[in-house]
Structure formats: structure tokens, C-alpha cells
Amino acid sequence: MTIKEACEKYHISQDTLRYYERVGVIPQVGRTAGGIRDYGPSDCGWIENAICMRNAGLPIESIIEYVALFQQGDETIPARLGLLRDELEHLLEKREQLEAAIHKLQYKVSRYEIAMETGILSWEESDHESIDA
């Protein structure tokens, strides 16, 4: 598959895909006899991994480290596991923060919706701390 086809399939720009390859987010891609990138199934798996990890908010540096470790072989399985566990922990913490923010915003929206119906904006004292802004 050409770079154009890969980019269309994964909805990313050619610049992004070239960057991922250049910095090591995906391993070097095979080339045709004419020097054109030729994305095979393994390459597509790495692209999918990169997109998934980036969408999850993982830093480029962590993805690069993971790919480098993978390329070094099975002796790096403990290091890869540690890296993935650390990143999962960060994501779970981020999810908790997002859930708290969503909860707070849902509360505020509900209070404003009541205010739109009654003409009175009020905050219940038993509700959230420091939320009346």
C-alpha cells in the first residue's frame, strides 16, 4: 500500500506518517525497488498502534521508547510491560480527573437549566464545594 493509501485508510496526513517513521513511532517501512514506501500488514499494525496510543494521549517519547524496546527483542518484555503499566496508570488517573470534571459540569448545567425555568440561579449548600461560580 502506498503512503497515500495508508493515509486515506487511517485518516492521517502524509506529513504525520512520515514524521512517525522518522522519529521511530513506527519502524522503518519497506520500500519498492523504486524507493517508494510500501506499507504491508505489519506496518499497518504499527500505524494503528501509533494512532491508538496518540489518541489515548501517550507522549511521543513513550511510544518511541516502546517501539525501540520491541525491536530489541523478547528480553525487553519486562521493560515494555513496565512502560505500558506506567502509561495505563497515567491514563486511569486522567480518566478520574475527567470524570470529576464531567460530574461538576453536569451539576452546573443542571443548576443553570433550573435557573432558566425559574429565573433563579441557586447552588445547594450540600452540593459540591466551591462550585457556585
Side-chain angles (χ1 to χ4, degrees):
M1 155 180 338
T2 66
I3 192 169
K4 180 181 178 187
E5 293 167 333
C7 290
E8 288 173 356
K9 179 177 181 173
Y10 296 107
H11 309 287
I12 60 175
S13 72
Q14 290 184 23
D15 287 341
T16 298
L17 193 48
R18 285 186 190 103
Y19 170 74
Y20 283 174
E21 186 178 347
R22 187 176 70 249
V23 299
V25 169
I26 62 172
Q28 293 294 310
V29 175
R31 304 234 178 197
T32 65
I36 296 174
R37 287 176 174 85
D38 185 20
Y39 295 88
S42 176
D43 302 312
C44 290
W46 282 110
I47 294 168
E48 291 169 9
N49 182 68
I51 292 169
C52 174
M53 298 298 184
R54 287 301 292 151
N55 286 343
L58 268 70
I60 289 284
E61 297 78 16
S62 293
I63 302 169
I64 292 167
E65 182 180 354
Y66 175 82
V67 173
L69 288 168
F70 183 89
Q71 291 177 318
Q72 292 172 31
D74 287 349
E75 65 273 5
T76 66
I77 287 174
R80 286 183 268 160
L81 175 60
L83 185 146
L84 292 174
R85 280 183 175 159
D86 289 347
E87 292 301 336
L88 178 60
E89 175 94 13
H90 292 293
L91 286 173
L92 292 172
E93 289 171 9
K94 190 183 296 187
R95 181 172 72 181
E96 286 179 20
Q97 293 169 354
L98 285 171
E99 287 174 352
I102 288 168
H103 184 70
K104 184 176 281 194
L105 287 173
Q106 287 173 328
Y107 171 76
K108 290 177 84 64
V109 166
S110 73
R111 300 311 298 171
Y112 278 99
E113 287 173 342
I114 291 169
M116 292 292 292
E117 293 173 8
T118 65
I120 300 169
L121 178 62
S122 66
W123 306 99
E124 298 176 16
E125 288 186 34
S126 64
D127 287 335
H128 311 292
E129 299 173 17
S130 304
I131 203 162
D132 58 347

